[in-house]
Amino acid sequence: MFNTNDQISKISLSGFEAALRVAQISLDSAERLVKLNLEASKQTLEENVKVAKALAGAGDAQEALNQFNQLASQSVDKAVANSRNVYEIVSAAQSELSKLAEENLGSFNKNLITALEGAAKNAPAGSDNALNAVKTSLAAAAAAVNSFSKAAQQVAEFTDSSIKAASSATADAVKTATKRA
């Protein structure tokens, strides 16, 4: 005999576990972002103290300008590095959440198909066509989600390479501009 309560319990437990995993991924990512920002703030404060002392000790305007240009270059380099780190944290979290969603959707579809097959055994005569239509719809939906997931992964890879190229170009442009000044 088909036990609907067991199937519902499995689906509910799976959903609860997924929610806990989403919370864990979110908290881990938030913790990494906070740690990164606190470390960047600490470094910025320490460097600003050093720069203030160096500028105060500059002998002439040209030396002060050179130190200021060097500071600007270092600041841009650090900002680009910090942006890269933030992007990597966010990208990793997005990747984990996407993987979790795919796993849970696959598990949900399996459980739903199992439940439909169990219901089909106890269904009245003539309901086979309706159950087959539901199964076909689920398979089509799963295929669509899979296609969407692959497209999203390609967009993420393209975005990742574009961001890396842009940040390198920005850092190189600032270095070039600083050397000219």
Side-chain angles (χ1 to χ4, degrees):
M1 171 129 195
F2 179 67
N3 191 341
T4 305
N5 288 337
D6 286 343
Q7 293 297 327
I8 291 173
S9 293
K10 286 180 185 177
I11 291 171
S12 296
L13 180 60
S14 176
F16 180 71
E17 289 172 350
L20 288 176
R21 183 69 184 127
V22 166
Q24 185 65 46
I25 291 169
S26 299
L27 288 173
D28 288 346
S29 298
E31 179 183 15
R32 290 176 62 199
L33 285 170
V34 168
K35 184 177 179 182
L36 178 71
N37 285 329
L38 287 174
E39 188 62 33
S41 297
K42 181 180 174 184
Q43 287 176 356
T44 300
L45 180 62
E46 290 171 358
E47 290 169 8
N48 285 340
V49 168
K50 288 178 187 176
V51 168
K53 287 179 181 178
L55 287 175
D60 61 7
Q62 184 61 39
E63 184 181 342
L65 181 61
N66 288 341
Q67 288 178 350
F68 184 75
N69 285 339
Q70 184 180 7
L71 169 66
S73 177
Q74 290 173 353
S75 294
V76 169
D77 287 345
K78 289 181 187 206
V80 168
N82 192 42
S83 296
R84 247 188 243 139
N85 290 336
V86 168
Y87 175 76
E88 288 172 4
I89 292 169
V90 171
S91 180
Q94 183 269 335
S95 177
E96 285 185 62
L97 290 171
S98 293
K99 182 180 174 184
L100 180 64
E102 287 176 26
E103 289 171 1
N104 281 306
L105 184 61
S107 176
F108 177 76
N109 282 342
K110 273 186 198 176
N111 289 337
L112 192 55
I113 288 172
T114 301
L116 286 173
E117 288 172 353
K121 292 177 185 175
N122 298 320
S127 61
D128 292 342
N129 289 338
L131 288 172
N132 285 335
V134 172
K135 285 182 188 179
T136 302
S137 296
L138 286 174
V145 168
N146 190 28
S147 295
F148 178 74
S149 177
K150 287 180 182 178
Q153 184 178 11
Q154 289 173 345
V155 168
E157 288 170 1
F158 174 75
T159 302
D160 185 50
S161 63
S162 296
I163 286 177
K164 287 179 181 176
S167 63
S168 294
T170 301
D172 291 344
V174 168
K175 286 178 186 175
T176 303
T178 303
K179 287 179 183 177
R180 288 184 196 163

